[in-house]
Amino acid sequence: MEDLGVLPTLDNTILQNKIQYNAQFGSQEVATALGRGLGVLHAVQVDQDTKDALRNPNSHDVVFELAVKGLEDKLASLGVGDSAVLGNRVATSFEDSKQLIDEQEGHRPANVPAVLSMGDLWPASVLVDGENHRLGLIDWEFAHLSLPLSDIAQFSAYLNLYSLVYTSIDWLSGFILTFMNSYISHSRQLEAAWLSPTLSHSLLRHAVILHGREMVNIAMERDWGTDSPSRSELVNAGCRYLRLAGDNEGELQVDELSKDTIFGPLCTCL
């Protein structure tokens, strides 16, 4: 842990469209470094002492209140016809994920590996030190054990929305692809446990639902300005992922997701 001083966040850097002007630590370098760092973090084997130390039961309740409870009503208020189905899909995935992590914390055999997750990873959590070619991650108060890909799904929800709203930032799609590919390549190098073929479909589906859930909530909470797509359009972009997830692994629309900027690279892991 280190004090990096006062540095711009990735959020501000993206919105001010500055990052591509740093020839030595520009968008591609930042995306590669961030993907590598998260790949390393999520490949760490978490021992029982660490699991005990990372128990954060309050984070589950807070996230449920802020991001899960009431989602169906939000969707219904915008006229989303299948709001009940999508709301239930989000709530079920959320509780299933908690149960899988509870198995890990309860010293019982678990079907999936738990990883150290920031719990609230978004572009404003990333500090960009362009001068020294370094990144920093801040705001770890929601850190807890989570399913693999949770941080990736949440973080990329912001990038996905930014790419829809800030279309003048022409390097953003390349940033997203480089970030995803860097994360996957370093996860493979480290033989991350989540890459097991027996786990990948389940973990991917949970990530797709979390991604769609976050897109919906972010779209509802932010003021995007008059020149942006409508709030309804942005919410529907998030709903698309909730629909692609289906009600179980067998209904997960992998073929469609394989064409997606965010999840296409992850589909290569299946």
Side-chain angles (χ1 to χ4, degrees):
M1 190 171 295
E2 180 181 355
D3 184 357
L4 298 178
V6 179
L7 293 171
T9 66
L10 181 59
D11 197 54
N12 288 335
T13 305
I14 289 175
L15 299 186
Q16 294 173 18
N17 201 7
K18 288 182 177 179
I19 196 169
Q20 80 278 26
Y21 296 119
N22 187 331
Q24 294 181 319
F25 200 56
S27 59
Q28 296 299 297
E29 290 77 17
V30 170
T32 299
L34 184 58
R36 178 176 63 246
L38 290 173
V40 171
L41 177 67
H42 296 157
V44 171
Q45 295 290 322
V46 183
D47 60 29
Q48 191 59 52
D49 288 341
T50 304
K51 292 175 185 178
D52 293 340
L54 287 173
R55 276 207 187 99
N56 192 354
N58 290 334
S59 67
H60 174 271
D61 296 336
V62 171
V63 173
F64 179 79
E65 288 294 325
L66 294 178
V68 179
K69 182 181 178 180
L71 187 72
E72 177 184 338
D73 291 339
K74 292 179 184 178
L75 296 177
S77 70
L78 290 176
V80 176
D82 54 349
S83 58
V85 172
L86 300 184
N88 181 69
R89 192 167 291 170
V90 167
T92 301
S93 175
F94 184 76
E95 292 303 327
D96 287 349
S97 298
K98 181 180 184 296
Q99 182 176 351
L100 290 170
I101 298 304
D102 285 346
E103 290 177 0
Q104 294 260 353
E105 294 182 338
H107 300 256
R108 297 190 298 275
N111 295 322
V112 298
V115 301
L116 172 58
S117 168
M118 279 195 67
D120 189 26
L121 181 60
W122 64 301
S125 305
V126 182
L127 300 180
V128 181
D129 184 356
E131 182 177 346
N132 296 299
H133 304 173
R134 298 185 303 174
L135 300 178
L137 294 179
I138 59 173
D139 299 333
W140 289 80
E141 60 267 28
F142 284 103
H144 64 292
L145 290 179
S146 184
L147 295 184
L149 305 182
S150 296
D151 281 339
I152 299 299
Q154 182 172 26
F155 179 76
S156 60
Y158 285 87
L159 299 182
N160 205 341
L161 284 169
Y162 288 176
S163 69
L164 296 173
V165 174
Y166 307 114
T167 55
S168 62
I169 305 179
D170 54 7
W171 51 267
L172 191 51
S173 59
F175 180 95
I176 295 170
L177 187 59
T178 299
F179 165 70
M180 296 301 299
N181 285 333
S182 176
Y183 178 76
I184 292 168
S185 66
H186 286 92
S187 296
R188 283 175 169 155
Q189 289 175 23
L190 296 166
E191 299 181 346
W194 66 265
L195 287 166
S196 167
T198 59
L199 301 176
S200 296
H201 278 81
S202 174
L203 296 178
L204 180 64
R205 180 174 178 272
H206 282 299
V208 170
I209 293 174
L210 194 158
H211 183 83
R213 181 196 87 193
E214 288 302 291
M215 285 188 69
V216 168
N217 282 312
I218 300 162
M220 292 288 287
E221 293 164 3
R222 284 207 174 188
D223 180 4
W224 299 97
T226 56
D227 295 331
S228 304
S230 69
R231 192 179 306 278
S232 180
E233 288 176 297
L234 296 176
V235 166
N236 278 315
C239 288
R240 172 178 172 269
Y241 290 95
L242 300 179
R243 296 181 181 112
L244 291 175
D247 281 327
N248 51 61
E249 294 174 40
E251 293 183 4
L252 180 68
Q253 297 186 42
V254 176
D255 288 345
E256 193 65 27
L257 287 167
S258 66
K259 306 171 189 175
D260 186 75
T261 303
I262 303 293
F263 289 98
L266 288 172
C267 287
T268 65
C269 300
L270 299 178

